[in-house]
Amino acid sequence: MATADFSWNTSTQKFTLAGGKESGQKLSDEILIDNIRWFIIFRWAVIGVLVLFQVVALIASDTLTQLGIREQQHWPLAITAILSAANFAYIYALDFCQPSKYNSPSIIIWVQIIVDLLCLSIVVHYVGSTATPAPFFYILHIALSCIFFSALESLFVAIIVSAMYSIVLLAESEMFFQVSQSVLIDPYFSSESLHKGRVLVWMIALDTLFLIVWYVVSRLTLVIRKHEQYLREAYEQINQAQVAKDQYAMLMTHQLKAPLDAIRSKINLIKGGYCGQVPREIEEVLTRIDRRGHSMSNLILDVLRLERLKTAGRNTGAMEYIDISETIHKCVDKLEPVAKARNIEIKLSIQNFFSCGIPDQIEIMLENIIANAITYSHDNAAIDIVSIVESSDNSAIVTITDYGIGIEEKDLPNIFDEYFYSPRAVMHNQSSSGIGLSLVKIAAGNNHLQLKVTSAPGLGTAFSVIFSNIRVPKEGS
């Protein structure tokens, strides 16, 4: 048995910009929030490393001394406490506080950067601002600020970085004041104390490097954002062209329907003898024409439904909670005559629930899946429709199972494509429009539903629709 999962999330995030002018462009709040959460996770990892260092320092201090790492004071513990408190504050601001002027993603990102830079400055001071590569971690914050903020805002971050590093160097060299220091690397393993002139060289060199990094990354970021803006505009143009094409297709299809219905009406009049006696040979020809006309009429109706569903996907309709049991029974009642004509029994085992969605679209989706099961079943067979409520995660699954011709594994990923015909399906049903499962796909996407299809040639197919955030009716109601 081959199985494939399908989901179409119409609310997928896109890389979007905020701001009008190029110099003021920055990421949207939605993207900033995602990055805030990512950096919270990254900060927990840093906290974990600091805690691990403290544990190792307690149980293996002699080994660290042999490696040239001196016993530390309490600054690693203080940094751990500051970063932990900051992380909890960020989580509280994001998840438990209403967005406001002083609680926006940009403000939170700014606070994150300032707090992280202060903590990094403390680390650089205690591990050595020239004896270790710790100062180069400042570059990471400059690069990230260029990505998150406008060029002017990221310049402020670069200036803050330069000022903080300069203060650390001046404090270590005792040029203007003296601050206690506990160097991570033992002086035996590091260079001798720096002279004031050498400190100035380091300060000028690193501050210049910080500004160069800001300039290069900010220029590259602006170029990327400019190209992204072009892509977004191109996407909007393509989307508008697609809308125009769909509207034209809908208009042409609707115009074809009227003359086709008139032709079929005249054929039925002739076959009914209202235009005089018709030879048997001509009647057979008219029957074949009417059969083809009927198939074309069904195709036109499917195309019209397809375009309506696409339009509904672009203009989100009003959603409401739908009685799924009632909807399934409604679909079965519509298709019962077709099933009985081929002696196909439809068996129901329904656990009722309510799901939020667009009523007519949910009905179209279930009706097309059941109709598909009937079409590709063998005569005198059965179809099982089962719904199961999963109370543990507040979801439900509706499964429509047939025991018909099945689907080849290589065809399974393509079954929801418009106008797709598998050779096996064509042999069984030559009048298929190839649109039925496309309707299912669009309706599922518009209602944020997931589909799972399991099939094997000759054994049948099971379509499962997964509903989330359901409501279960109380007993007796």
Side-chain angles (χ1 to χ4, degrees):
M1 299 284 283
T3 301
D5 291 317
F6 303 86
S7 63
W8 300 274
N9 188 357
T10 55
S11 61
T12 303
Q13 289 184 356
K14 296 182 178 67
F15 183 88
T16 55
L17 299 175
K21 298 180 181 179
E22 181 182 310
S23 60
Q25 288 180 338
K26 57 184 178 180
L27 299 183
S28 66
D29 285 351
E30 192 175 16
I31 303 300
L32 287 179
I33 290 174
D34 279 348
N35 283 283
I36 290 171
R37 296 190 186 280
W38 188 90
F39 283 116
I40 288 173
I41 296 171
F42 178 76
R43 205 170 285 107
W44 285 127
V46 172
I47 292 169
V49 171
L50 289 172
V51 171
L52 181 62
F53 177 75
Q54 291 291 301
V55 173
V56 173
L58 288 174
I59 64 178
S61 58
D62 295 338
T63 304
L64 293 179
T65 302
Q66 292 175 4
L67 294 173
I69 300 177
R70 305 176 73 185
E71 184 178 355
Q72 299 300 298
Q73 298 174 356
H74 300 295
W75 66 264
L77 188 60
I79 294 296
T80 302
I82 293 171
L83 291 179
S84 299
N87 258 3
F88 284 120
Y90 303 144
I91 294 171
Y92 180 79
L94 282 176
D95 298 335
F96 300 101
C97 293
Q98 292 293 330
S100 65
K101 180 180 179 181
Y102 301 104
N103 182 33
S104 66
S106 295
I107 296 295
I108 296 176
I109 285 280
W110 266 108
V111 173
Q112 279 188 320
I113 288 177
I114 298 299
V115 172
D116 289 352
L117 286 177
L118 288 172
C119 291
L120 180 58
S121 297
I122 295 172
V123 172
V124 169
H125 170 68
Y126 280 110
V127 304
S129 57
T130 57
T132 66
F136 291 97
F137 283 97
Y138 282 119
I139 294 176
L140 175 63
H141 291 81
I142 295 174
L144 291 175
S145 67
C146 291
I147 296 172
F148 296 144
F149 301 135
S150 64
L152 183 60
E153 290 173 316
S154 61
L155 175 60
F156 291 156
V157 174
I159 293 172
I160 292 171
V161 167
S162 299
M164 286 187 175
Y165 183 62
S166 299
I167 291 171
V168 170
L169 279 177
L170 295 175
E172 289 183 14
S173 65
E174 304 174 10
M175 190 171 291
F176 299 110
F177 49 87
Q178 184 177 357
V179 179
S180 61
Q181 180 180 5
S182 174
V183 180
L184 177 65
I185 305 298
D186 193 283
Y188 177 78
F189 292 87
S190 62
S191 60
E192 297 180 354
S193 298
L194 296 173
H195 298 292
K196 293 182 179 180
R198 193 175 171 191
V199 170
L200 289 175
V201 172
W202 266 96
M203 184 173 66
I204 294 172
L206 266 295
D207 288 347
T208 303
L209 176 63
F210 294 150
L211 293 175
I212 291 174
V213 169
W214 165 79
Y215 180 79
V216 173
V217 177
S218 63
R219 292 298 99 188
L220 289 174
T221 303
L222 286 176
V223 170
I224 292 172
R225 289 177 179 174
K226 187 175 181 179
H227 283 286
E228 194 278 337
Q229 183 73 21
Y230 289 153
L231 288 175
R232 190 155 63 101
E233 292 174 357
Y235 173 80
E236 291 175 356
Q237 291 176 359
I238 292 172
N239 191 48
Q240 291 174 359
Q242 181 67 33
V243 171
K245 181 185 76 67
D246 291 343
Q247 290 175 345
Y248 180 75
M250 190 171 181
L251 176 63
M252 292 301 297
T253 306
H254 192 272
Q255 289 179 344
L256 284 173
K257 187 176 182 301
L260 182 63
D261 288 343
I263 292 171
R264 292 193 63 208
S265 176
K266 295 296 190 294
I267 289 174
N268 288 326
L269 285 174
I270 295 172
K271 287 171 61 180
Y274 294 98
C275 299
Q277 189 67 27
V278 180
R280 184 175 179 181
E281 293 81 3
I282 295 178
E283 186 174 349
E284 290 177 356
V285 172
L286 291 174
T287 300
R288 289 197 295 271
I289 293 173
D290 185 51
R291 191 181 300 121
R292 291 294 181 88
H294 178 69
S295 298
M296 186 175 292
S297 179
N298 288 338
L299 173 61
I300 290 172
L301 288 175
D302 283 344
V303 170
L304 290 173
R305 291 165 104 185
L306 183 66
E307 298 306 326
R308 289 193 188 104
L309 285 179
K310 286 181 179 179
T311 303
R314 288 189 290 266
N315 304 313
T316 305
M319 290 195 174
E320 60 185 71
Y321 275 92
I322 305 160
D323 187 325
I324 297 300
S325 175
E326 181 181 332
T327 303
I328 291 174
H329 281 91
K330 187 176 180 181
C331 294
V332 170
D333 290 343
K334 282 184 183 179
L335 297 169
E336 190 87 48
V338 180
K340 285 184 176 179
R342 297 178 53 198
N343 199 26
I344 295 174
E345 182 182 4
I346 300 178
K347 301 178 181 179
L348 299 176
S349 177
I350 305 297
Q351 280 185 273
N352 194 25
F353 61 92
F354 290 81
S355 177
C356 188
I358 306 172
D360 59 337
Q361 294 193 21
I362 297 291
E363 183 179 335
I364 287 173
M365 178 188 67
L366 293 173
E367 182 182 337
N368 274 276
I369 295 175
I370 297 171
N372 201 68
I374 295 171
T375 299
Y376 295 105
S377 289
H378 301 295
D379 293 346
N380 307 311
I383 292 172
D384 294 325
I385 302 176
V386 179
S387 68
I388 300 175
V389 174
E390 300 286 350
S391 56
S392 59
D393 58 355
N394 198 35
S395 66
I397 301 176
V398 175
T399 303
I400 295 108
T401 305
D402 68 67
Y403 305 94
I405 64 171
I407 304 169
E408 296 280 356
E409 185 175 358
K410 63 181 178 64
D411 295 326
L412 200 55
N414 306 314
I415 59 174
F416 292 104
D417 295 344
E418 293 180 22
Y419 308 107
F420 174 76
Y421 298 91
S422 70
R424 178 181 291 271
V426 170
M427 290 177 61
H428 188 83
N429 178 31
Q430 296 182 357
S431 63
S432 172
S433 65
I435 293 179
L437 290 182
S438 299
L439 298 173
V440 172
K441 167 186 172 180
I442 295 173
N446 291 348
N447 291 274
H448 313 296
L449 302 176
Q450 183 181 355
L451 300 177
K452 182 177 181 181
V453 183
T454 301
S455 186
L459 298 179
T461 303
F463 279 83
S464 296
V465 185
I466 302 171
F467 297 83
S468 58
N469 300 320
I470 65 167
R471 290 182 181 175
V472 180
K474 295 180 181 179
E475 294 184 4
S477 61

